[in-house]
Amino acid sequence: MEADPTLLSLGAGLPHPSTFPFAQIGAHVAPAGASVANTAPADMLNVSVTTSSGAIEGLGKFLQYGNGRGVPSYAAFTREHTHRVHDPKYVDWDTVVSLGNTDAFVKALMLFYTSGDTLLVDEWTYPAIIGTVVPMNIQLAPVRMDAEGMVPEALDHVCTNWTGERKLRMVYTIPTAQNPTGATMSIARKRAIYAVAQKHNLVIIEDDPYYYLQFEPYTADSEHRYTNLPGITSLVPSLLSLDTDGRVIRLDSFSKVLAPGLRCGWVTAPKYITDKIQFHNETSIQQPAGVSQAIVASLMNEQWGHSGWERHLVQIQRDYAMRRDLFVDLCLKHLNGLVEFTVPDAGMFLWFRVQLKPELQGQTGVMQRVFDSMVANHVLLVPGYMFSPKGAEQKVRDEPYIRAAFSFAATTDFEAAITRLAQALEPFC
C-alpha cells in the first residue's frame, strides 16, 4: 500500500484504529542531561503521542500490527544514530529492531547454528547466553581472558587447534564492561580480535549493552574526577566501526541507558542478515511494544534529538562513574589483602578474585563455604561459577571469583555491604 497509495486493500485482517480506546500516550521525562530526582515537576518534558502526532507517526501506527523492522520513526533513529556513532565501513548495512540484546542474540545465533554446533565465548560470560544455548544443544568453547577481555592469541589458538566435527563459525563477546569481569577492550585489542576473526572466517556477535557507560580511568584524587567524560564522541570505537567485511553483528539496547522495561533495542548487520531477523521477528515478537516505541521515538525525534541524547548519556556516565569511584574507594579501604580486582573503566561490575589462604586454594567446596559466610553476614554477591561456560562442575565451583555490582544498591549502603563482605571473607584469607 505504501508503494501504491491508490490501492484499496480488503486483505489486511487488522483491527480498525477507530476501535482503539487510546487518544494519547505519553510520559513526563527529565530534560536531557538532568535526572528525575533533580528536576521539578514543572520542568519535566511532556513526551506525548496522539492520534495525529507531528514529526513521528500517530497512535494508529504505533498501536497497530506492524512489520518486524519497527515503526519507521523509531527504526530511522537507530539507523541515523548508528551511522553517527559507528559509521560502518561497508555499504549494505542496516538495522532491525529487537526486544533487547538477549532476544537479538537468539535470532542472530539461529541464523548460523543448529544443534551440535559450538560457539566461541569468553571464559567467563553472561549467564543468559549459557542458559539460552544449552537447551539448543549448542556447545560452548571458552577463550582465555585478561584485563581487556578476550585474548586474541587465545582465540587464534582455540581456532587453529580445533578438532571438532563441525567448524567454528561464530564468536560471542561483550567488548565493553564485560559481564561479569568488567573488562573493556581497547581499540588495539578490538583490531586484533577482528584480525583473528578474518583469519578463521568467524562471525562476531558484538553484544554491547554497556557501550555508553564508559567513563574516565579511576583516580584516587577526588578533585580531578568527572572532568572528561566521553559522551558519544570519545567512546572507544566499536568492532562494528572496524568491520570492512560485514562479519560483525552488533547488538544495542536502550535497557541500560533509558529503562530495561521498555524492551527496546536494535541489531546492526549486513542487510541480508537484518532482513532475515525481520522475518524471524514477524513470526515471534513482531516488534517491540508500540507504546515503548512511541515514547522512545517521540523522545529522540521530537524532544531530545541527538544533541539531547548525548547530554543524557553524559549524565548517565557521571552517575555510574560516581558509583564506581565510591565503591572502589571503599573496597581499597576495607578489602585490602582479601580480594584482588581490576578497576573497570565502564559499566556496573567489579570482578573479585578472593585471596584464599594457601591451604584452602582448590579445596573442594571452599567457595560454597565463602558464599554461605556472605549470606550469614547479610551481604550477597554472585559466585563466579555461575558465569562459567564449563557449567557447575566442582572444579569450576571452587574457582575463587565473585562478582559485585555497584549499579543498583543505594550508595549509602555501600560501606556497610563492603564491611560485611570483609567480615565474611576474613576467615578464608
Side-chain angles (χ1 to χ4, degrees), residues 66-71 95-98 107 274-275 277-283 285-288:
N67 67 37
R69 211 89 197 178
V71 176
T95 63
V96 63
V97 296
S98 73
K107 287 166 181 168
T274 60
D275 285 348
I277 292 175
Q278 174 185 341
F279 300 148
H280 194 163
N281 282 346
E282 288 168 1
T283 61
I285 65 165
Q286 285 215 333
Q287 55 183 270

Side-chain angles (χ1 to χ4, degrees), residues 13-176:
L14 309 177
H16 197 274
S18 66
T19 66
F20 301 164
F22 305 98
Q24 178 178 341
I25 289 174
H28 289 157
V29 179
S35 66
V36 171
N38 296 324
T39 302
D43 295 328
M44 290 288 182
L45 300 179
N46 183 28
V47 175
S48 177
V49 183
T50 67
T51 54
S52 57
S53 288
I56 64 172
E57 300 81 358
L59 275 183
K61 182 74 170 179
F62 282 107
L63 298 182
Q64 188 57 272
Y65 289 115
N67 67 37
R69 211 89 197 178
V71 176
S73 59
Y74 175 95
F77 177 83
T78 67
R79 284 192 295 273
E80 184 178 354
H81 175 74
T82 299
H83 175 68
R84 283 170 173 253
V85 176
H86 306 287
D87 190 21
K89 300 303 185 289
Y90 60 96
V91 176
D92 194 25
W93 65 273
D94 204 353
T95 63
V96 63
V97 296
S98 73
L99 292 186
N101 287 13
T102 302
D103 169 59
F105 166 77
V106 172
K107 287 166 181 168
L109 185 73
M110 291 178 70
L111 291 176
F112 295 88
Y113 273 54
T114 60
S115 175
D117 286 335
T118 300
L119 175 68
L120 292 152
V121 295
D122 295 306
E123 67 175 315
W124 304 103
T125 194
Y126 179 40
I129 300 306
I130 301 170
T132 296
V133 303
V134 168
M136 299 169 68
N137 194 34
I138 292 172
Q139 311 305 310
L140 295 174
V143 179
R144 182 169 56 84
M145 302 173 68
D146 64 13
E148 284 194 34
M150 185 177 286
V151 175
E153 294 80 6
L155 177 61
D156 183 47
H157 178 80
V158 172
C159 293
T160 300
N161 295 281
W162 182 249
T163 57
E165 292 183 3
R166 301 184 188 180
K167 65 181 293 186
L168 298 168
R169 294 196 296 274
M170 182 177 281
V171 55
Y172 167 85
T173 190
I174 306 170
T176 308

Side-chain angles (χ1 to χ4, degrees), residues 74 98-100 254-255 257-265 288-296 299-300:
Y74 175 95
S98 73
L99 292 186
F254 287 111
S255 291
V257 289
L258 286 180
L262 289 169
R263 306 313 306 139
C264 283
V291 172
S292 294
Q293 286 192 82
I295 291 173
V296 173
L299 184 62
M300 298 304 179

Side-chain angles (χ1 to χ4, degrees), residues 83 322 415:
H83 175 68
M322 293 173 66
E415 186 152 27

Side-chain angles (χ1 to χ4, degrees), residues 1-22:
M1 293 177 67
E2 292 179 358
D4 180 4
T6 67
L7 182 69
L8 298 176
S9 175
L10 298 178
L14 309 177
H16 197 274
S18 66
T19 66
F20 301 164
F22 305 98

